[in-house]
Amino acid sequence: MSRESVRFAVLGPIRAWRAGAELDLGRPQQRVLLGLLLARAGRPVGLSEIVDALWGEDPPGSAVNVVRRHIGILRRTLEPGLPLRAPGHWLLREAAGYRIAVDADSLDLLRFRQLREQADEAADRSPGRAVTLLTEALALWKGPAGTDVSVEIRARALLDVLDREHLAAVKELADAALRAGMTAPVLDELRKAALANPLDEPLLARLVLALAATGQRAEALETHRAAVARLADELGLTPGRELSDAHTAVLRESRPPARPAAGSAAGSAVGSGAALGGEPADGGLLSAIPLPGVGYSEPRPAQLPQDLPTFSGRRAQLAKLSALLPEEGRPLDTAVISVIGGMAGVGKTTLAVHWAHQVADRFPDGQFYVDLRGFDPTDKALDPGEAVRDFLCALGVPRHRVPHGLDAQTALYRSLLAGRRFLVLLDNALDTQQVRPLLPGAPGCLVIVTSRDTLTGLVADHGAHPLSLCWLDAEEGRELLAARLGAARVAAEPQAAAEIVELCAGLPLALSCVAARLAAHPGFRLSALAAELRDAHDRLDAIARGSAEVSTVFSWSYRALSAGAARLFRLLAGHPGPDLAAPAVAELAGHAGFDAQESARLLAELTRAHLVAELSPGRYSVHDLLRSYAAELGDDGH
């Protein structure tokens, strides 16, 4: 059976057709599983996420086998005659989970998004065309997404997140209709949306303006009065600026809308609407509140830390990161996740912040930042629920209206991000579990995660793109010194600069400490400092000169290790060779009482923590400054 003969729907009941005949999707769990895959619109969904959606916090021991059985049944439902265990055309195994291979011709959700994109492109030059496209897009909705699924499972499967895209499209329709002078045909859509979202002020303000633009001034004022009463009764709030501005605009209009004079700015702006038979726009109402968005502005978080003015190097890594995004002007088809990992002091946060600033303009709805304190020695790791609550408040949700429980908070957070373009920078993550609740659920967003752990769970279950950051090479180290000290000062002593980079082992944090000391003493020669570092008994102390910054950040990673891994780290760091093969590591561990299996497990822990680098399969090394740190610890690890 060809792919083209099957189509799917998730905007309303979860349905599928083959050759025009509707398919029986079987048991409720199979229907939910299909709906979950459809809601991701062609992105992989990890097995753990599928299990969470189907069973919540109490899955059976056989959950994974049940999922695989459901997948097999669905495959044969979509493609009768498919051999047992054959993947078929539609349900594909991918990224430790499954993906459904759909496009805009086979899935209503993707067709809806395609029409929204086309409407967005047409909105400025032809608002009437945008109205037509958005009307067609909204006609695809036959109810809330996955409406035949229970409310609890809809939330777990993030089907309810898609409803946010519907609401956003209704607002876009109102904006285009007001510009085009075509508000009468969209009033029913606006009224239905307002009935379902009676506390959404931007939506209600658009309805007030649309009613007034069609001459229904009394109903517009009554809609405003009722909205004000509901806000006071249910939330204890007064109306915000957008609703107040709409009310003011209606009060200023004492006559029915008049056709703008030919050739006027208002007339030219709505010409396409008049040509399509819509009523002309009311210049008074539209001029009272600027477009686009009819003058409404929702909170736009801009939380990125300041970019480092002297950032240098990392060109190859920046190119790899930028390659994750589509060409300028093209939307993201998925939520892109990048995990930047590396040892302490290697510059993960600096790189992440710099790249985030470079691409921030591609995410106009806002940028979030949070330090998750994954390896902070003075405080415990940040609870993800606290981070989600802060994000919700930044999105304009009053703190007393934030729902209880992490699941409900995450569902609301993802709902508010759906259909929008946000950049989320999660710095210093402890593990995958801390990050998962902070991931957007819909396409269009970029998530950047930094961690001293490799976070393989994000890569396996969420298709994250890992970037392992290592120390700077000689040229990049020289560039860092030149950026901090001035090119002339470094060029005057090139050999000394190269030696400083070598003695700091290319570690950006160590180089920054040395550069800060040299910058504070413009008369110091680079050669004198290079000699001090070369002759120092304790190189870490010589680098920091009392600040102990490098040793401190190393200690954060070291203290997170298990006792066995900490002991193996000290043993490996004391080994005189530049690197070790896996058998040599096992032999060294064996002298300390670890068997081969335990040795392999501890070595994997050290590699995940970036305290040991795997140079090539089965070959390991310890950074020079980490060797110095281990020597400070002594045999007992203190």
XYZ file of all heavy atoms in Angstrom, residues 304-308 311-323 325 328 350-363 367 423 425 446 448:
313
model
N 18.824 36.448 28.527
C 20.195 36.005 28.278
C 21.195 36.842 29.054
O 21.076 38.070 29.108
C 20.519 36.087 26.788
C 19.783 35.131 25.855
C 20.221 35.368 24.414
C 20.021 33.679 26.250
N 22.205 36.207 29.655
C 23.280 36.990 30.290
C 24.034 37.791 29.232
O 23.928 37.525 28.021
C 24.188 35.908 30.900
C 23.363 34.666 30.944
C 22.396 34.757 29.803
N 24.814 38.748 29.678
C 25.590 39.577 28.753
C 26.603 38.718 28.007
O 27.262 37.847 28.583
C 26.314 40.680 29.515
C 27.121 41.611 28.624
C 27.863 42.663 29.418
O 27.788 42.687 30.637
N 28.590 43.531 28.743
N 26.728 38.955 26.715
C 27.742 38.272 25.913
C 29.123 38.784 26.320
O 29.282 39.942 26.709
C 27.496 38.552 24.429
C 28.309 37.641 23.518
O 28.928 36.682 24.026
O 28.304 37.885 22.300
N 30.114 37.888 26.254
C 31.477 38.285 26.606
C 32.037 39.183 25.508
O 32.183 38.749 24.357
C 32.353 37.036 26.767
C 33.785 37.264 27.235
C 33.797 37.810 28.660
C 34.581 35.964 27.162
N 35.002 37.709 23.470
C 34.918 36.313 23.017
C 35.795 36.126 21.784
O 35.826 36.972 20.873
C 33.468 35.965 22.672
C 33.287 34.521 22.262
C 32.994 33.558 23.210
C 33.431 34.131 20.937
C 32.827 32.237 22.848
C 33.268 32.808 20.567
C 32.972 31.858 21.520
N 36.487 34.997 21.750
C 37.342 34.705 20.600
C 37.375 33.205 20.357
O 37.039 32.403 21.237
C 38.770 35.222 20.848
O 39.345 34.561 21.968
N 37.788 32.811 19.150
C 37.960 31.400 18.820
C 36.646 30.649 18.689
O 35.582 31.224 18.461
N 36.746 29.334 18.811
C 35.602 28.415 18.753
C 34.848 28.518 17.432
O 33.631 28.306 17.381
C 34.635 28.662 19.920
C 35.239 28.493 21.301
C 35.743 27.113 21.562
N 36.043 26.853 22.970
C 36.713 25.809 23.415
N 37.178 24.911 22.540
N 36.940 25.639 24.691
N 35.551 28.835 16.347
C 34.866 28.992 15.060
C 34.253 27.677 14.569
O 33.142 27.657 14.046
C 35.839 29.568 14.027
C 36.139 31.053 14.232
C 37.146 31.560 13.225
N 38.482 31.060 13.505
C 39.321 31.615 14.378
N 38.949 32.699 15.045
N 40.527 31.117 14.577
N 34.995 26.586 14.728
C 34.472 25.290 14.268
C 33.235 24.902 15.050
O 32.247 24.403 14.492
C 35.555 24.216 14.400
N 33.264 25.134 16.366
C 32.107 24.773 17.192
C 30.900 25.661 16.878
O 29.760 25.175 16.833
C 32.472 24.883 18.679
C 33.462 23.838 19.153
C 34.904 24.161 18.807
O 35.203 25.262 18.320
N 35.804 23.220 19.052
N 31.137 26.941 16.661
C 30.030 27.834 16.306
C 29.417 27.432 14.968
O 28.188 27.490 14.789
C 30.522 29.283 16.237
C 30.807 29.955 17.583
C 31.558 31.261 17.382
C 29.509 30.203 18.350
N 30.252 26.995 14.036
C 29.734 26.544 12.739
C 28.869 25.300 12.902
O 27.813 25.176 12.266
C 30.892 26.272 11.781
N 29.307 24.372 13.765
C 28.505 23.162 13.999
C 27.161 23.504 14.632
O 26.123 22.942 14.272
C 29.276 22.194 14.901
C 30.420 21.463 14.224
C 31.066 20.472 15.176
C 32.211 19.724 14.496
N 32.872 18.774 15.429
N 27.170 24.423 15.581
C 25.923 24.821 16.233
C 24.990 25.499 15.239
O 23.789 25.189 15.174
C 26.219 25.757 17.403
C 26.899 25.125 18.622
C 27.380 26.196 19.583
C 25.947 24.153 19.331
N 25.518 26.410 14.449
C 24.679 27.135 13.496
C 24.117 26.206 12.432
O 23.030 26.460 11.894
C 25.485 28.262 12.844
O 25.850 29.225 13.817
N 24.824 25.121 12.132
C 24.343 24.169 11.137
C 23.094 23.420 11.609
O 22.390 22.803 10.798
C 25.447 23.169 10.791
N 20.447 24.853 12.677
C 19.284 25.668 12.342
C 19.109 25.718 10.831
O 20.088 25.667 10.085
C 19.454 27.088 12.886
C 19.660 27.205 14.396
C 19.806 28.667 14.789
C 18.516 26.561 15.162
N 18.343 31.039 7.049
C 17.640 32.247 7.502
C 16.329 32.413 6.743
O 16.278 32.277 5.521
C 18.517 33.475 7.266
C 18.056 34.716 8.004
C 18.408 34.681 9.481
O 19.469 34.155 9.819
O 17.609 35.181 10.275
N 30.233 30.235 28.282
C 30.656 31.362 27.444
C 30.258 31.126 25.986
O 29.735 32.025 25.317
C 32.177 31.552 27.553
O 32.510 31.783 28.918
C 32.631 32.737 26.717
N 30.508 29.906 25.491
C 30.142 29.583 24.110
C 28.629 29.609 23.933
O 28.118 30.164 22.946
C 30.693 28.203 23.738
C 30.285 27.678 22.353
C 30.859 28.559 21.249
C 30.724 26.224 22.183
N 27.902 29.008 24.879
C 26.440 28.941 24.766
C 25.822 30.336 24.740
O 24.943 30.631 23.925
C 25.862 28.119 25.922
N 26.278 31.206 25.628
C 25.731 32.569 25.684
C 26.078 33.332 24.405
O 25.235 34.051 23.843
C 26.255 33.306 26.931
C 25.897 34.785 26.878
C 25.678 32.669 28.196
N 27.306 33.171 23.926
C 27.722 33.882 22.712
C 26.871 33.448 21.519
O 26.376 34.293 20.754
C 29.198 33.607 22.442
C 29.730 34.310 21.225
N 29.928 35.679 21.190
C 30.082 33.845 19.994
C 30.399 36.028 20.000
N 30.493 34.936 19.246
N 26.696 32.132 21.354
C 25.890 31.649 20.224
C 24.431 32.069 20.375
O 23.773 32.447 19.399
C 26.005 30.134 20.087
C 25.291 29.606 18.873
C 25.442 30.027 17.582
C 24.287 28.584 18.839
N 24.611 29.311 16.749
C 23.898 28.425 17.482
C 23.702 27.780 19.814
C 22.936 27.492 17.094
C 22.753 26.838 19.427
C 22.374 26.709 18.080
N 23.923 32.016 21.603
C 22.534 32.418 21.834
C 22.309 33.860 21.389
O 21.289 34.174 20.764
C 22.173 32.242 23.309
N 23.245 34.745 21.689
C 23.113 36.137 21.248
C 23.176 36.238 19.725
O 22.482 37.063 19.123
C 24.206 37.001 21.878
C 23.887 37.458 23.260
N 23.011 38.495 23.533
C 24.307 37.006 24.475
C 22.921 38.674 24.837
N 23.697 37.786 25.438
N 23.983 35.399 19.088
C 24.097 35.438 17.636
C 22.792 35.075 16.947
O 22.483 35.593 15.873
C 25.205 34.479 17.166
C 26.618 34.996 17.389
C 27.641 34.139 16.673
O 27.458 32.938 16.491
N 28.728 34.756 16.252
N 22.021 34.147 17.530
C 20.812 33.646 16.858
C 19.527 34.128 17.526
O 18.433 33.724 17.124
C 20.815 32.096 16.796
C 22.032 31.604 16.027
C 20.780 31.477 18.194
N 19.636 34.998 18.532
C 18.454 35.410 19.299
C 17.385 36.053 18.427
O 16.180 35.898 18.692
C 18.861 36.358 20.426
N 17.800 36.769 17.370
C 16.808 37.451 16.542
C 15.937 36.481 15.760
O 14.889 36.866 15.245
C 17.496 38.423 15.590
C 18.460 37.722 14.632
O 18.883 36.593 14.933
O 18.792 38.313 13.594
N 16.327 35.213 15.690
C 15.510 34.209 15.010
C 14.431 33.642 15.932
O 13.622 32.822 15.504
C 16.399 33.082 14.478
C 17.462 33.578 13.490
C 18.203 32.465 12.827
N 17.317 31.610 12.034
C 17.743 30.598 11.293
N 19.034 30.325 11.227
N 16.892 29.857 10.610
N 14.440 34.093 17.197
C 13.447 33.623 18.173
C 12.796 34.851 18.814
O 13.059 35.197 19.972
C 14.129 32.717 19.204
C 14.783 31.526 18.563
C 16.114 31.588 18.167
C 14.064 30.380 18.281
C 16.710 30.517 17.532
C 14.654 29.313 17.644
C 15.977 29.371 17.263
N 13.609 34.929 24.977
C 14.712 34.057 25.349
C 14.698 33.852 26.860
O 14.604 34.811 27.626
C 16.062 34.666 24.938
C 16.201 34.943 23.442
C 15.709 36.330 23.080
O 15.968 37.295 23.812
N 14.988 36.452 21.988
N 13.898 30.834 22.515
C 15.208 30.258 22.768
C 15.307 30.015 24.270
O 15.034 30.921 25.063
C 16.308 31.207 22.295
C 17.759 30.706 22.331
C 18.613 31.481 21.328
C 18.386 30.857 23.719
N 17.915 28.685 27.219
C 19.281 28.323 27.585
C 19.276 27.772 29.008
O 18.999 28.496 29.969
C 20.202 29.543 27.472
C 21.665 29.380 27.918
C 22.290 28.114 27.377
C 22.476 30.608 27.529
N 14.399 26.661 20.178
C 15.772 26.183 20.310
C 16.100 26.063 21.789
O 15.860 26.987 22.560
C 16.746 27.165 19.649
C 18.245 26.927 19.915
C 18.705 25.601 19.325
C 19.079 28.080 19.372
N 19.304 25.200 24.338
C 20.740 25.006 24.502
C 20.984 24.579 25.942
O 20.553 25.262 26.879
C 21.520 26.305 24.208
C 21.101 26.914 22.868
C 23.026 26.034 24.221
C 21.673 28.311 22.634
